[in-house]
């Protein structure tokens, strides 16, 4: 041994987790939902997903490389993840050019304008989705029907979502087959339809400790209790309108959710309440995206006022 | 039965206890011992010798200079070669004394350590010692906390007026990965440890002692439970669920008693005195054998080391000798750490001497020596989840980074115990604890300055 010793402050060992492993684990957790979407919505789902991911990755690459002059951050997987999550929030017959606009807004405005990974206040994929929802309301609310559109893309047969039909009074709660909602046999955006697939992803994220239970469980419990207390069907509310997708994959985004468990629970409860309020009394049949974005905006405040339990606050015996 | 542990935060680093079943091997005495006068928290001991003086093994060479200070004794017989500035392993310049053994001294010392030590006090005589006598023995023998903090043991046994403890907790948790020195000691000297614990109980005037051991050492738990039951029913051996930093004083007290030491207060405020298991053993040696603290058990370990093991080492032995004993320094060594990988110090010099607080020597290969690349904080909250003090490491690190000292103080930066859980858990490998240490030193200085202006 003739080289010099490395000297650094403790600790000298480090977790094997890395930022990119976390991102890739979320991507893996999305695979069941994506496969489900590809199965029910066919080629359109594949095209939308590919366009969204490509759009996000290229936008991030161009901005980091040529506007910021930084090393490319593509390898950490976060742009790919944003692309997948954006795709999950879109209908499968959305034209490619609209998907690309969504991707550019998601990464360019939602993420990079704040300084890139870790700096954004709002969930980039939801920024992209809501931008599209407001800009292209017609295209964003025509939902291809499942199973019948395997080889159709632009000319897909469309229909309304369950929440949309309920809101318009076209159908009743009793008309809805819960089993269809569980397996994905329902209209809606790509990633929201296969509840079982989403729950498989949730279990994977919990087992790999990418996320904790606090946010998803508090959202789902709040939506269930609140909708039950006002006479809506808790099961339908929970299984519809991207609630599971939002609770498991969107609201748990590290960057835009609170830091401590107490804060996470408050954040989840508020998302649940806002979602039900929008669904029941608002103009839109679905409120999840708005609820998450609103609470993203409150996250810094939650972090400021909701603190973890400090050691030494409790001095009496257990 | 559900095992107890502390409630807030904590992490599970890979245990890597490579030397868990290695017996303690006595290491050869050094020919030359370099002994710093400051081997403990508090004032350095005052030197009693001058160049050319001769000393015997175990003679006092420097005496405690103040209440928080400790005696220092000679680990070998020989002649004082020099008293000058030396460099500790951590790179600090400090006053040291160098003792060189002649061939005759070396042979005589080596012969005396190879035979069983003579008993100075038998069981009955140990039993007859008063609390004051035990404290005096601990003080004379220069015993300090051997878990690594090196707080003079006498001070812990002398609580401030008006404060009393009702429980003595023996810290045998050994939550640092790689280290097994306490484990090996428990397997080798259970009776002596229990005897030491009984003396500490008497000195601390408590009627209850708990020896806390993490559940990854079932053999030590079984052995000590057995021995304690035979000797003293007031001593309970408590297995704890494996979690880092359970050996932290505050975490351990909470795990064992459920009481939390209030922010800024001493453990005695929660009615507990915590002593390391090796300290209890050192107390037995001092009382029963009349031997001061001149050696200790050290785990020399590392993934590439040929003969990792637990060694009984004379203080003052150059660290290089320990590594040679363990098979020599591996070719691709990148980092040498004094203590465990979570809280140990990376060292600059292999020629520096062994000191009282050294519990392990960890040799890491180059590929594990450097930190992973720092990436942007993704606000995942892992540091908050990991922090055993319930702090927000990301926040106080950032406040320190931007010199917002008042805000850092308000966010309880001084409560940080520097266990390293936050930096360990960070998936972006951010230097969280580094910034917190910076903040603690600045905020601590500001608090001390305020205390000197009471009217402000």
């Amino acid at each position: 041994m003739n080289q010099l010793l490395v000297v650094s402050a403790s600790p000298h060992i480090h977790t094997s987790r890395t930022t990119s492993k976390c991102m890739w684990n979320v991507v893996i957790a999305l695979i069941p939902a994506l496969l489900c979407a590809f199965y029910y919505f066919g080629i359109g789902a594949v095209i939308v997903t590919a366009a969204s991911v490509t759009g996000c990755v290229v936008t991030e690459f161009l901005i980091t490389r040529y506007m910021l002059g930084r090393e490319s951050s593509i390898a950490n997987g976060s742009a790919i993840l944003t692309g997948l999550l954006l795709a999950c929030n879109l209908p499968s017959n959305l034209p490619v050019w609209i998907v690309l606009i969504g991707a550019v807004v998601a990464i360019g405005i939602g993420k990079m304008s704040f300084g890139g990974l870790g700096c954004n206040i709002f969930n980039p994929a939801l920024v992209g989705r809501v931008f599209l929802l407001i800009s292209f309301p017609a295209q964003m609310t025509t939902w291809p029907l499942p199973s019948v559109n395997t080889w159709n893309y632009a000319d897909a047969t469309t229909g309304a979502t369950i929440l949309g039909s309920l809101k318009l009074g076209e159908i009743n709660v009793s008309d809805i087959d819960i089993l269809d909602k569980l397996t994905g046999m329902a209209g809606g955006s790509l990633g929201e339809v296969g509840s079982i697939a989403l729950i498989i992803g949730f279990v994977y994220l919990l087992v790999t400790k990418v996320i904790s239970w606090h946010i998803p469980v508090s959202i789902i419990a709040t939506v269930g209790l609140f909708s039950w207390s006002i006479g809506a069907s808790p099961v339908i509310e929970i299984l519809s309108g991207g609630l599971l997708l939002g609770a498991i994959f969107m609201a748990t985004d590290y960057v835009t959710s609170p830091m401590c468990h107490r804060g996470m629970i408050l954040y989840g409860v508020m998302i649940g309440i806002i979602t039900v309020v929008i669904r029941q009394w608002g103009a839109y049949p679905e409120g999840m995206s708005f609820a998450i974005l609103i609470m993203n905006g409150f996250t810094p405040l939650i972090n400021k006022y909701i603190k973890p339990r400090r050691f030494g606050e409790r001095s009496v015996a257990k | 039965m559900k095992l107890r542990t502390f409630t807030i935060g904590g992490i599970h680093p890979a245990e890597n206890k490579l030397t868990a079943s290695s017996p303690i091997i006595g290491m050869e005495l050094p020919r030359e011992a370099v002994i710093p006068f400051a081997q403990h928290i508090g004032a350095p001991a005052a030197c009693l010798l001058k160049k050319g003086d001769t000393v015997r093994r175990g003679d006092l060479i420097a005496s405690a200079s103040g209440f928080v200070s400790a005696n220092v004794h000679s680990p070998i017989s020989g002649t004082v070669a020099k008293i000058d500035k030396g460099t500790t392993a951590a790179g600090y310049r400090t006053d040291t004394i160098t003792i060189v053994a002649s061939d005759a001294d070396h042979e005589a010392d080596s012969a005396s350590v190879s035979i069983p030590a003579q008993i100075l006090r038998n069981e009955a005589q140990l039993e007859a010692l008063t609390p004051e006598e035990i404290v005096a023995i601990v003080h004379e023998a220069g015993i300090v906390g051997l878990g690594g903090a090196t707080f003079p043991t006498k001070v812990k046994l002398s609580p401030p007026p008006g404060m009393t403890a009702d429980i003595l907790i023996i810290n045998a948790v050994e939550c640092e990965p790689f280290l097994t020195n306490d484990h090996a000691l428990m397997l080798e000297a259970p009776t002596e440890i229990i005897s030491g614990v009984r003396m500490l109980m008497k000195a601390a005037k408590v009627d209850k002692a708990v020896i806390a051991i993490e559940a990854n050492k079932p053999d030590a738990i079984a052995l000590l439970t057995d021995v304690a039951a035979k000797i003293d029913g007031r001593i309970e051996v408590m297995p704890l669920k494996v979690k880092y930093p359970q050996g932290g004083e505050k975490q351990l007290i909470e795990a064992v008693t459920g009481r939390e030491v209030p922010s800024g207060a001493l453990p005695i405020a929660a009615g507990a005195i915590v002593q390391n298991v090796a300290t209890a053993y050192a107390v037995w040696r001092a009382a029963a054998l009349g031997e001061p603290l001149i050696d200790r058990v050290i785990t020399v370990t590392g993934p590439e080391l040929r003969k990792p093991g637990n060694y009984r080492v004379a203080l003052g032995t150059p660290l290089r000798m320990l590594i040679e004993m363990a098979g020599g320094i591996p070719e691709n060594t990148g980092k040498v750490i004094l203590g465990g990988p979570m809280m140990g110090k990376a060292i600059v010099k292999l020629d520096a001497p062994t000191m009282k607080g050294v519990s392990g020597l960890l040799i890491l290969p180059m590929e594990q020596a450097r930190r992973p690349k720092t990436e942007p904080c993704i606000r995942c909250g892992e540091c908050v989840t990991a922090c055993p003090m319930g702090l927000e490491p990301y926040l106080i690190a950032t406040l320190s980074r931007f010199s917002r000292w008042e805000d850092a103080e308000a966010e309880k930066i001084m409560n940080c115990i520097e266990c390293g859980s936050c930096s360990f858990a960070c998936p972006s490998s951010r230097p969280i604890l580094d910034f917190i240490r910076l903040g603690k030193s600045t905020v601590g200085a500001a608090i001390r300055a305020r205390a000197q202006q009471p009217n402000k």
Side-chain angles (χ1 to χ4, degrees):
Chain A
M1 200 211 74
N2 41 26
Q3 70 243 47
L4 290 170
L5 293 172
V6 176
V7 176
S8 62
S10 65
H12 306 286
I13 50 175
H14 196 265
T15 175
S16 59
R17 296 185 57 176
T18 61
T19 302
S20 54
K21 274 190 199 168
C22 293
M23 299 295 170
W24 288 113
N25 267 329
V26 182
V27 171
I28 292 171
L30 270 174
I31 287 174
L34 285 170
L35 289 179
C36 193
F38 294 164
Y39 175 77
Y40 284 110
F41 296 119
I43 190 76
V46 178
I47 293 171
V48 167
T49 307
S52 175
V53 171
T54 312
C56 286
V57 169
V58 170
T59 307
E60 174 150 331
F61 178 77
L62 293 177
I63 291 175
T64 41
R65 194 78 177 75
Y66 297 105
M67 285 178 75
L68 302 175
R70 290 189 205 153
E71 208 179 317
S72 162
S73 51
I74 302 301
N76 65 26
S78 78
I80 296 171
L81 180 57
T82 301
L84 290 175
L85 288 172
L86 176 62
C88 284
N89 281 285
L90 302 175
S92 65
N93 62 342
L94 199 65
V96 168
W97 64 275
I98 296 183
V99 177
L100 290 179
I101 288 174
V104 170
V105 171
I107 293 288
I109 296 174
K111 182 175 169 192
M112 300 312 291
S113 67
F114 289 94
L117 182 62
C119 303
N120 49 298
I121 297 174
F122 298 102
N123 185 319
L126 285 179
V127 171
R129 174 195 147 86
V130 168
F131 181 87
L132 294 183
L133 184 63
I134 295 168
S135 310
F136 306 97
Q139 291 92 329
M140 285 293 289
T141 49
T142 50
W143 309 102
L145 293 172
S147 291
V148 297
N149 287 311
T150 312
W151 298 107
N152 303 334
Y153 170 47
D155 52 353
T157 315
T158 59
T161 61
I162 288 173
L163 286 183
S165 306
L166 277 174
K167 187 126 190 163
L168 295 172
E170 287 168 358
I171 54 168
N172 293 315
V173 171
S174 53
D175 300 337
I176 299 162
D177 187 345
I178 300 295
L179 192 66
D180 285 349
K181 289 278 7 164
L182 284 172
T183 55
M185 185 63 195
S189 60
L190 283 187
E192 72 173 75
V193 293
S195 301
I196 289 179
L198 291 167
I199 290 166
I200 292 172
F202 182 37
V203 171
Y204 179 81
L205 290 178
L206 286 181
V207 168
T208 53
K209 299 197 171 157
V210 174
I211 61 170
S212 65
W213 58 267
H214 302 80
I215 293 173
V217 170
S218 50
I219 292 176
I220 294 166
T222 306
V223 168
L225 279 174
F226 191 17
S227 47
W228 173 77
S229 70
I230 58 172
S233 157
V235 179
I236 300 291
E237 294 295 326
I238 288 167
L239 295 182
S240 313
L243 192 119
L244 286 178
L245 177 70
I248 296 165
F249 289 98
M250 315 296 291
T252 54
D253 171 39
Y254 286 153
V255 180
T256 55
S257 62
M259 300 291 276
C260 74
H261 293 162
R262 288 177 175 181
M264 288 177 187
I265 289 174
L266 174 64
Y267 169 85
V269 168
M270 288 308 296
I271 287 175
I273 291 174
I274 295 171
T275 301
V276 175
V277 167
I278 293 176
R279 283 180 178 183
Q280 293 297 323
W281 297 289
Y284 285 91
E286 293 160 18
M288 196 64 189
S289 307
F290 294 108
I292 294 175
L293 284 174
I294 289 167
M295 289 315 294
N296 283 167
F298 278 100
T299 292
L301 268 182
I302 293 176
N303 283 333
K304 186 167 170 61
Y305 291 107
I306 308 293
K307 296 293 178 186
R309 189 172 78 76
R310 311 280 196 210
F311 187 100
E313 279 178 356
R314 180 192 69 189
S315 51
V316 289
K318 254 187 214 164
Chain B
M1 194 189 80
K2 196 165 173 290
L3 294 176
R4 284 166 167 260
T5 185
F6 57 98
T7 45
I8 302 178
I11 55 169
H12 297 94
E15 291 177 19
N16 279 314
K17 306 268 191 189
L18 310 175
T19 50
S21 53
S22 309
I24 298 171
I25 299 168
M27 219 188 96
E28 194 194 342
L29 294 173
R31 292 296 187 115
E32 182 182 307
V34 178
I35 300 127
F37 297 121
Q39 301 195 34
H40 46 261
I41 288 180
C47 182
L48 303 173
L49 303 177
K50 58 184 190 303
K51 191 178 168 182
D53 284 350
T54 58
V55 287
R56 309 305 308 162
R57 185 168 182 272
D59 282 356
L60 187 65
I61 51 182
S63 68
S65 60
F67 182 63
V68 183
S69 185
N71 288 343
V72 175
H73 301 78
S74 180
I76 58 172
S77 306
T79 312
V80 178
K82 57 184 175 187
I83 300 172
D84 65 353
K85 288 273 180 198
T87 309
T88 64
Y92 295 112
R93 299 285 287 168
T94 181
D95 291 317
T96 59
I97 182 167
T98 305
I99 294 166
V100 177
S102 68
D103 288 347
D105 288 333
H106 187 67
E107 272 165 37
D109 280 352
S110 300
S112 75
V113 293
S114 65
I115 55 167
Q118 256 189 326
I119 295 289
L120 179 74
R121 296 186 183 89
N122 61 26
E123 273 307 310
Q125 287 166 313
L126 289 178
E127 203 59 44
L129 288 172
T130 65
E132 292 69 29
E133 283 170 336
I134 295 170
V135 173
I137 289 170
V138 166
H139 173 66
E140 287 303 320
I143 295 174
V144 301
L146 294 179
T150 64
F151 199 75
T153 303
K154 166 202 69 172
V155 181
K156 275 194 183 177
L157 293 175
S158 321
M163 296 206 141
T164 52
D166 60 8
I167 186 168
L168 170 71
I169 299 172
I170 299 298
N171 187 345
V173 167
E174 207 161 48
C175 61
E176 275 272 6
F178 285 101
L179 299 189
T180 59
N181 49 307
D182 288 344
H183 188 184
L185 185 63
M186 286 188 278
L187 294 183
E188 186 167 289
T191 318
E192 293 82 351
I193 287 170
I194 297 291
S195 176
V197 171
R198 296 185 70 219
M199 281 183 264
L200 284 170
M201 286 169 75
K202 187 186 269 182
K205 303 190 175 75
V206 298
D207 280 326
K208 183 171 163 50
V210 169
I211 302 177
I213 309 176
E214 279 193 344
N216 58 0
K217 296 177 267 291
D219 46 356
I221 294 168
L223 186 60
L224 279 179
T225 307
D226 194 41
V227 174
K230 278 182 198 145
I231 297 176
D232 193 331
R234 302 171 305 162
I235 301 174
E236 180 194 351
V237 176
M238 185 185 285
L240 298 174
K241 194 174 155 204
V242 177
K243 188 160 79 167
Y244 178 87
Q246 192 133 243
E249 205 165 48
K250 294 186 167 90
Q251 279 65 37
L252 184 59
I253 293 171
E254 201 244 343
V256 170
T257 67
R259 301 176 208 154
E260 285 183 7
V261 179
S263 170
L266 293 171
I268 192 93
I273 292 177
V274 181
Q275 299 283 1
N276 186 270
V277 67
T279 311
Y281 177 71
V283 170
W284 177 82
R285 277 184 94 91
L289 309 180
E291 186 188 288
L293 185 62
I294 51 174
D295 60 15
R296 66 161 298 155
V297 181
I298 296 176
T299 300
V300 187
T301 184
E304 315 254 320
L305 210 55
R306 269 201 296 123
K307 289 190 292 177
N310 303 304
Y311 298 97
R312 175 162 285 284
V313 184
L315 302 178
T317 305
L319 297 172
R320 192 182 290 281
M321 266 181 76
L322 273 65
I323 301 174
E324 243 115 70
M325 184 83 181
I329 189 141
E331 188 57 37
N332 64 343
T333 296
K335 198 186 243 180
V336 178
I337 296 158
L338 221 51
M342 286 303 299
M343 292 187 77
K345 280 198 164 70
I347 66 172
V348 187
K349 272 180 61 139
L350 296 181
D351 298 307
T354 306
M355 302 205 291
K356 290 178 180 177
V358 178
S359 50
L361 198 61
L362 171 60
I363 288 112
L364 289 180
M366 196 41 111
E367 60 268 22
Q368 292 176 35
R370 293 186 189 278
R371 294 182 175 185
K373 186 168 164 277
T374 298
E375 291 183 63
C377 172
I378 54 168
R379 309 181 63 78
C380 62
E382 283 297 321
C383 56
V384 181
T385 308
C387 181
M389 297 304 290
L391 305 176
E392 295 153 288
Y394 78 95
L395 178 63
I396 50 179
T398 307
L399 292 172
S400 299
R401 188 174 165 195
F402 293 107
S403 305
R404 286 172 56 180
W405 312 120
E406 289 84 7
D407 293 328
E409 188 182 348
E411 297 293 348
K412 307 279 184 195
I413 192 171
M414 296 309 289
N415 284 11
C416 169
I417 58 169
E418 303 185 28
C419 66
S421 297
C422 50
S423 292
F424 175 90
C426 179
S428 293
S429 309
R430 299 192 63 76
I432 304 173
L433 181 53
D434 305 65
F435 278 117
I436 295 177
R437 285 198 181 102
L438 178 75
K440 277 182 75 179
S441 71
T442 309
V443 172
I447 291 172
R448 285 192 295 278
R450 268 205 311 267
Q452 283 170 2
Q453 301 170 290
N455 297 328
K456 244 188 121 182

